[in-house]
């Protein structure tokens, strides 16, 4: 079956530009995570959704970052006024049930802010 | 102290070797533990869950030591295809935040 998909796969943005990153989780999966992965580091937790409810956004680095999952399926991570330090791979993962189960990752969006 | 710490390596081993990685975690109440594998420029994929009793899957064995707050991964008879970064993952109790270690890089050479 289809896995987690993310779009765009690559994004180059000028500093100050707004970007929107999309995640299509596995159909029927309840939980969804967003992570930020810098080069040579492990994924860093950004936020967690259970269906449409954003239950944890403690990892969002600033108020420029905003995530939503309005219908409990597709999710969008928006970064406003991008800065160079936002350059990273943004990974989305979905889980069939609760947060502590196996996470299935999408291929990520590579964001480069110039 | 980081919540999850791993030796970054790299570990360079010949084919057929046995190699072991450790990962320490700081939250003693953590309940769920995993090892994920990440190939270069790819997404992480679950390798195995780590249970209190330890578990084995073919050439891979995972152990949990709650008293010392570490988990381990043992790879026997290393293959070239085992070359990857191995990520230790902890779900602390009481929240949804999942914490990944920075990863241990393994290179298996012919």
């Amino acid at each position: 079956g289809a896995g987690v998909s993310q779009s765009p796969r690559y994004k180059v943005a000028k500093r100050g530009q707004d970007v929107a990153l999309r995640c299509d989780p596995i159909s029927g999966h309840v939980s969804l995570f967003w992570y930020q992965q810098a080069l040579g580091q492990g994924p860093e937790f950004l936020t967690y959704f259970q269906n449409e409810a954003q239950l944890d956004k403690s990892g969002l680095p600033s108020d420029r970052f905003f995530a939503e999952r309005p219908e409990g399926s597709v999710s969008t991570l928006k970064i406003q006024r991008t800065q160079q330090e936002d350059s990273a791979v943004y990974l989305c993962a979905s889980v069939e049930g609760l947060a502590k189960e196996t996470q299935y990752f999408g291929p990520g969006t590579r964001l480069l802010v110039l | 102290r980081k919540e999850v710490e791993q030796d970054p390596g790299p570990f360079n081993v010949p084919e057929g070797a046995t190699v072991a990685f450790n990962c320490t975690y700081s939250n003693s109440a953590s309940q769920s533990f995993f090892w994920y594998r990440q190939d270069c420029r790819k997404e992480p994929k679950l390798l195995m869950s780590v249970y209190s009793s330890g578990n084995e899957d073919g050439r891979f064995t995972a152990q949990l030591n709650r008293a010392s707050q570490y988990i381990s991964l043992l790879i026997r008879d290393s293959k070239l295809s085992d070359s990857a970064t191995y990520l230790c993952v902890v779900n602390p109790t009481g929240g949804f935040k999942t914490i990944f270690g920075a990863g241990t890089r393994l290179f298996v050479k012919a």
Side-chain angles (χ1 to χ4, degrees):
Chain A
V4 179
S5 61
Q6 292 186 244
S7 61
R9 293 291 311 278
Y10 303 90
K11 177 69 179 178
V12 179
K14 293 182 179 179
R15 190 171 55 182
Q17 186 179 350
D18 296 350
V19 298
L21 313 180
R22 177 186 169 109
C23 172
D24 285 81
I26 294 171
S27 178
H29 276 201
V30 169
S31 297
L32 186 145
F33 291 83
W34 281 100
Y35 295 90
Q36 180 190 62
Q37 186 171 25
L39 191 63
Q41 299 297 314
E44 292 279 346
F45 172 86
L46 294 177
T47 188
Y48 167 75
F49 290 88
Q50 194 170 100
N51 295 307
E52 69 279 4
Q54 189 174 21
L55 298 184
D56 191 333
K57 54 181 181 180
S58 63
L60 296 176
S62 76
D63 58 8
R64 296 186 296 105
F65 287 71
F66 171 76
E68 60 183 3
R69 194 186 184 199
E71 297 179 359
S73 55
V74 172
S75 179
T76 303
L77 176 67
K78 298 178 180 177
I79 309 173
Q80 297 176 324
R81 305 181 302 282
T82 53
Q83 300 178 5
Q84 287 186 322
E85 59 262 31
D86 299 336
S87 296
V89 176
Y90 290 85
L91 293 163
C92 170
S94 74
V95 180
E96 184 174 6
L98 300 179
K100 296 176 182 178
E101 299 173 15
T102 302
Q103 297 187 34
Y104 297 89
F105 282 83
T109 294
R110 295 183 181 276
L111 173 65
L112 176 62
V113 181
L114 302 176
Chain B
R1 180 185 173 190
K2 289 185 179 179
E3 293 180 270
V4 176
E5 293 199 71
Q6 295 184 249
D7 181 345
F11 286 67
N12 293 289
V13 302
E15 274 188 293
T18 296
V19 61
F21 311 135
N22 280 346
C23 164
T24 60
Y25 59 94
S26 60
N27 187 336
S28 60
S30 298
Q31 290 190 344
S32 301
F33 308 89
F34 307 88
W35 284 102
Y36 278 72
R37 169 193 169 129
Q38 186 170 28
D39 292 298
C40 188
R41 299 180 70 83
K42 298 288 188 180
E43 70 272 21
K45 292 184 179 178
L46 178 69
L47 179 64
M48 58 198 309
S49 302
V50 186
Y51 305 119
S52 297
S53 56
N55 49 305
E56 185 174 317
D57 182 3
R59 297 181 294 107
F60 300 84
T61 301
Q63 298 277 358
L64 168 63
N65 185 316
R66 286 192 180 275
S68 300
Q69 293 181 211
Y70 75 85
I71 65 173
S72 64
L73 178 67
L74 181 76
I75 305 175
R76 291 181 297 277
D77 189 22
S78 298
K79 311 292 185 189
L80 294 175
S81 57
D82 294 334
S83 297
T85 296
Y86 291 84
L87 298 164
C88 169
V89 184
V90 177
N91 277 114
T93 300
F96 305 101
K97 185 176 180 179
T98 305
I99 302 175
F100 282 73
T104 297
R105 297 178 69 188
L106 172 66
F107 294 100
V108 181
K109 299 182 177 181

